[in-house]
Amino acid sequence: MARKSSRSTSFDVAALAGVSQSAVSRAFTTGSRIADETRTKVLEAALKLNYVPNSIASSLTTKRTNIVALIIGNLDNPFYVHVLHTFSRRLQEQGRQVLIFTVEPNSESDEAIMHLLKYQVDGVVLTAAQLSTRMISLCHDRGIPIVLFNRYIPGSDASGVRCDNVAGGALIAEAFLAAGAKNFALITGDLKGTTSQDRVRGFVGRLLEGGVKRTRIVEVEGHSSYEGALNATAKLFRDQNRVRPDALFGVNDIMAMAAIDALRHRIGLRVPEDLMVGGFDDIPEGRRLPYQLTTVRQPIEQMVDETLQLLHLDDPTEPIPRGIDRPIKGRLIWRNTIPVPLSHRWTEPEIQS
Amino acid sequence: MARKSSRSTSFDVAALAGVSQSAVSRAFTTGSRIADETRTKVLEAALKLNYVPNSIASSLTTKRTNIVALIIGNLDNPFYVHVLHTFSRRLQEQGRQVLIFTVEPNSESDEAIMHLLKYQVDGVVLTAAQLSTRMISLCHDRGIPIVLFNRYIPGSDASGVRCDNVAGGALIAEAFLAAGAKNFALITGDLKGTTSQDRVRGFVGRLLEGGVKRTRIVEVEGHSSYEGALNATAKLFRDQNRVRPDALFGVNDIMAMAAIDALRHRIGLRVPEDLMVGGFDDIPEGRRLPYQLTTVRQPIEQMVDETLQLLHLDDPTEPIPRGIDRPIKGRLIWRNTIPVPLSHRWTEPEIQS
DNA sequence: GTGAAAGCGCTAACAT
DNA sequence: ATGTTAGCGCTTTCAC
């Protein structure tokens, strides 16, 4: 037996209210010419029939679905969960919804694009994943704006919003320098990702500027994950002959946390007494008692705001922004994994929420 | 200047391929009568025009959107992130997508329902949130199946899939008993949520059966969150005159982890030497070096499978399953926060992945 | 301010 | 196997 999908339509409502179907449509469209009295009549009838406008049908004519696609590659990193949550909340406030596309971390999301095209989404946000330039123009040609969150694709005309990762990496380098570190280790993330590359570049660049020799900086791959960073840290300390670093930069917080765990529980080193460590992102987990991680905070709210602005959801007549790059400065949050140098003691105290 | 939404339609493709529009439709519908030759012609033309079928338009006639709504109330708990991820992956494999509705944890999600109704979703999954019975029938009346994930609503005819929380709670109680605990503490979650209630019930019930007196069990509210459990633990040990518990059950893993952190870093107690602790969920974070949490594993994959089955996405003619309750047994994972009694030593060794 | 009618892009009978 | 045609539920001119 087929399911009785007794969904009433605008015609049903019109009949009950004794008006035309277009009146019903108008009653549900804010800012359309309709007498208050008529609207009330319609709304009452609608309530009786449990009528809810079919937005699938309306988007056929309006060409707006009020759906935004979010392609996300790494839900294991709490940072991106937070990003997802922020987007969802903001969009819901505007009467829009997030259609989620999960892809393998750092894999091509071309297939996802092909799918979201079918859904006629109003815009797409791409985060923690790769994308070919072909797909970008495929979207743009159809009038679908796409903005990259925290990554950019060299040679493409896609716009993007990101944390200023180079400057952020430099912030950690400065903190290490100020705390008197001499030998540095670096756990990098996804090698293909611009996010990790930039943080590394900013970090190393600032160190070099500060007179640190290249040989005093070791790099290991952490693959942006907790497990990856665990292995990376082990590798770092396997070679006993090498000089032991006294400062370690985890290119994101989960890797920095993994490093701390490995240091304490496997290597037997104390943080920050034996080794200081810095992170990047400022995920809530890094604030927890065992970590109290000194890190660079990414201003998620602001980044999401800028992203939404670039999407021009409210005005589809706006031309799609192309080639725009909005780097947003992060802020160093002093906590306990880097000793605070005396000169910094009384500045920038963190207001704990 | 308006955005050129140069989306080509099935008519454009038909014209280029020299066939009728319905031939194009058939070419994109698997299992429809069409000559291979024709299909090839169509597909070639479609490729040239970058044509992608508009599934919004097709769902107008098919009455299927291939969209499943997921209402989620707590993205702060990694367990639910994992649930979301699993649903998304599974659904994508079937050519469907997740439309996400985030609501305040434990708040009514009635408003979310009103919104998802507009999108004509094929089904809805509700997790970590409340729902009125009125909304359930609103969905059911329209032929939209809704299944509750890990919760149930007394007196409603909504179906649900959940971990057998009562049995799971009992598992932790047994482990404590076997390890020789005498005084018990309990950090509860959301008081309104059936999940927490059931775990508490199973835990306390088993303890009582084991001859433990009610006075030996203390309960504090942890509000299902890390921060809440931190406070709860502090409260637990504030009163110095009270007998100190030697076993603590955090009704979910994040709360158990918070308790461990508080115990070690604030109270100055060792786990498990001074106090054993058990959790529930088996989130990956609980496996990490500092915790190695003994806990009850929720079989997410299986739970998601069952949920998807109840949704009958592939066969909308199936009647909506009503009042079905599918409790799925969890499994105790022995790790380091509860001393393994000798009798258990050689049984159920955990295969670490 | 309101109704009639056309049409958004597709699927599904129905013919052929 | 293929084309023709009538909708799906709505928005949007266009008259009145």
Side-chain angles (χ1 to χ4, degrees), chain B residues 108-116 135:
Chain B
E108 285 273 329
S109 22
D110 291 14
E111 203 193 320
I113 297 279
M114 293 312 285
H115 284 106
L116 65 84
M135 289 298 136

Side-chain angles (χ1 to χ4, degrees), chain B residues 1-19:
Chain B
M1 194 202 71
R3 232 135 70 183
K4 276 292 293 171
S5 33
S6 71
R7 319 188 187 183
S8 42
T9 73
S10 54
F11 279 93
D12 301 329
V13 177
L16 182 62
V19 295

Side-chain angles (χ1 to χ4, degrees), chain B residues 19 32 39 58 82 98 114 117 184 188 190 192 231 237 248 256 268 273 301 304 332-333 343 349:
Chain B
V19 295
S32 76
R39 167 168 276 145
S58 74
H82 197 168
V98 169
M114 293 312 285
L117 248 25
F184 306 86
T188 64
D190 166 38
K192 286 175 298 184
N231 295 333
F237 289 85
L248 186 155
E273 294 84 348
E301 299 284 335
V304 168
L332 187 67
I333 306 293
S343 54

Side-chain angles (χ1 to χ4, degrees), chain A residues 105-133:
Chain A
N106 313 312
S107 72
E108 286 273 329
S109 22
D110 290 16
E111 203 192 321
I113 297 280
M114 293 312 286
H115 284 105
L116 64 83
L117 249 25
K118 296 190 300 198
Y119 289 100
Q120 316 290 116
V121 298
D122 294 342
V124 12
V125 175
L126 181 113
T127 179
Q130 308 294 118
L131 192 56
S132 70
T133 55

Side-chain angles (χ1 to χ4, degrees), chain A residues 81-217:
Chain A
V81 174
H82 197 168
V83 168
L84 159 64
H85 201 167
T86 308
F87 270 111
S88 174
R89 219 171 0 213
R90 278 280 215 300
L91 255 6
Q92 276 176 196
E93 289 165 6
Q94 314 173 349
R96 289 182 246 263
Q97 293 303 141
V98 169
L99 192 65
I100 211 169
F101 291 80
T102 49
V103 300
E104 286 306 299
N106 313 312
S107 72
E108 286 273 329
S109 22
D110 290 16
E111 203 192 321
I113 297 280
M114 293 312 286
H115 284 105
L116 64 83
L117 249 25
K118 296 190 300 198
Y119 289 100
Q120 316 290 116
V121 298
D122 294 342
V124 12
V125 175
L126 181 113
T127 179
Q130 308 294 118
L131 192 56
S132 70
T133 55
R134 205 184 94 72
M135 289 299 135
I136 293 169
S137 39
L138 212 52
C139 288
H140 282 186
D141 288 352
R142 296 162 159 266
I144 301 176
I146 161 166
V147 7
L148 311 177
F149 191 90
N150 234 350
R151 58 216 321 99
Y152 49 86
I153 298 169
S156 91
D157 66 349
S159 293
V161 173
R162 58 187 177 87
C163 184
D164 188 336
N165 290 304
V166 175
L171 248 27
I172 294 291
E174 274 165 30
F176 283 165
L177 256 15
K182 301 286 180 228
N183 295 288
F184 306 85
L186 190 49
I187 303 186
T188 65
D190 166 39
L191 266 6
K192 287 174 297 183
T194 52
T195 310
S196 171
Q197 290 168 10
D198 287 355
R199 292 176 189 175
V200 170
R201 196 146 45 87
F203 179 75
V204 173
R206 184 66 191 78
L207 250 30
L208 263 28
E209 269 177 42
V212 173
K213 293 220 187 62
R214 200 58 179 91
T215 53
R216 307 240 153 207
I217 312 172

